[in-house]
Amino acid sequence: MNVLECKNLSKAYKKGNFVLRDMNLTIPAGKIVGLLGPNGCGKSTLIKLICGLLQPNEGEILVCGEPAGADTNSLVSYLPERPYFDSWMKVDELLAYFADFYADFDLEKARRLLADLNINTTAKLKTLSKGTKEKVQLVLVMSRRAKLYLLDEPIAGVDPAAREYILKTIVGNYNPDSTIIITTHLISDIEEILDEYYFMGFSGVIRQSGSVAEAKEASGQTLDAMFREVYRC
Amino acid sequence: MLKKLLRYDLKFLFRYWWIAAVASLPASVMGGFAIKLLNSEFPTTGAILVAVLMILATILTIVAVAVMPTIMIAIRFYKNLYSDEGYLTFTLPVSRANLLNSKIISSFIIEMASVLTVAINVLLMAIIAGANFSEIFQGYVFRVGDGILALAFVLLFSLLVVSSTLLMFVCISVGAVITKKHKVLAAIGIYYGVTGFVSGFSQLFVSLSSGLIVGIVLSMKEDVRTLVGSLMALPIILIIAAVVVGLYTLVHWIMDRKLNLS
């Protein structure tokens, strides 16, 4: 079963200036997928379209066979590239918020992960450091039993130790029936955990895609080296 | 889901307001005594000064109770939907209509709570200051149409509250989609532009039509005057209801089709 299908998808922020043009993409269930490409190629736009933060000019997005919208938001767990919490809330209140709105939220798992990180759940978010906030956000997103996880630049702007923790959390809390889509240009950090990759060009053109293991074996290169070759300026 | 959204919206709106509301009650008691003091025979200069300061403090507290809801409503709407928080709000498994309905209902609840609190405060001050209510209402005779007039007033007032809230939502939404850097400034500019235009237009309408309406009403017998007067509120209610529907549709359309969080 395909967890995500984009059919003839186009998005322009200004008339005629397409960020994505006639894009077609099919992603099956049970994979960790890297959506990789240079800055400005439309990775974040695609993610925002999938979770309904933007509306396409043309085309269709299906999540588990359903048109993307409020109903499919219950199937999608989204980690944006910035903290999206109300800073006056306490971590505990945030946990209650997720438990209230997401039927698939595993409160016990979230508490356990936060305890592992020694994060005080009675603390207000505004008192936490940027890195800790990002960890809280990741824990909440990965504590859902969603069908599709959309992680937009999850390791950008964090130190190497935090990167390691984030990747460990993603792999350790991943349900084999679900799909994780990770967008990033920090390929060397994530290529070890990816099953499949999509090299995305400008206007949403998929320049290269396939199994990471097969591509590495065939080319004798790392995914990072392949990326550099494809996008050489 | 609407109930859950409402719970969080109300929690935010009442977070600081309730403190002002509770503080306003002793302030009004103090204000009532101050008025009584001023009305007493031969108050000293010092007593007058203290009484005036007490009355000023009371007025400030009541103004805070009345104004705070509008500020909190604007902050909640902007922050929850068009700042980074929007990334969470708009990806909840909730329809855009429910997001908007929750904002409107919670705003209406706090505005009504504010009106009620101000009314209680004024009444409290009047009682303590020694207002003679039997004298105020002496000679009042219930007329046909008083009930309808009261109903029309409540309906009109409620619609005005909702329409002014929706107008604020429209301005914030338009400000958020037309600019990326100065969203709040744009929203304030649009709000003053629109309200200036609307108030100019309505003043023109009132000045042209009021003479005619007053003339018609005064030419009627006294016992049917209230009834006819209240029935004449119907077209105004319908116009404002149409404005509410128009504003609601516009905000919903922006949230649904034009959303572009930076």
Side-chain angles (χ1 to χ4, degrees), chain A residues 13 48 51-56 70-71 73-74 76 78 80-89 93-94 96-102, chain B residues 1 4-5 7-8 11-12 15-16 76 79-80 84-96 180 256-262:
Chain A
Y13 290 104
K48 285 180 183 178
C51 56
L53 287 169
L54 290 172
Q55 293 299 318
D71 290 339
N73 278 350
S74 59
V76 178
Y78 169 54
E81 55 188 324
R82 62 189 72 207
Y84 60 16
F85 299 140
D86 188 347
S87 56
W88 64 271
M89 280 178 123
E93 289 172 326
L94 212 48
Y97 189 85
F98 264 65
D100 262 349
F101 286 103
Y102 297 110
Chain B
M1 283 296 181
K4 290 175 183 174
L5 289 169
R7 186 150 53 85
Y8 285 98
K11 196 174 169 186
F12 183 94
R15 189 153 49 117
Y16 298 120
R76 177 66 176 170
K79 271 192 76 189
N80 197 233
D84 287 348
E85 266 181 64
Y87 282 89
L88 178 58
T89 310
F90 283 113
T91 52
L92 291 173
V94 177
S95 68
R96 302 282 150 96
K180 288 209 166 189
D256 199 36
R257 309 302 304 177
K258 292 287 162 191
L259 183 71
N260 183 14
L261 301 172
S262 54

Side-chain angles (χ1 to χ4, degrees), chain A residues 136-154:
Chain A
V136 171
Q137 193 156 303
L138 180 74
V139 163
L140 289 167
V141 168
M142 294 310 296
S143 295
R144 283 186 57 198
R145 287 184 288 262
K147 293 283 181 201
L148 175 62
Y149 295 86
L150 300 171
L151 312 181
D152 194 4
E153 303 282 359

Side-chain angles (χ1 to χ4, degrees), chain B residues 1 5 10 60 84 109 111 123 174 205 220 226-227 229 259:
Chain B
M1 283 296 181
L5 289 169
L10 286 170
L60 279 177
D84 287 348
I109 290 171
E111 290 283 15
L123 200 66
V174 173
F205 176 76
M220 291 167 184
T226 317
L227 178 65
L259 183 71

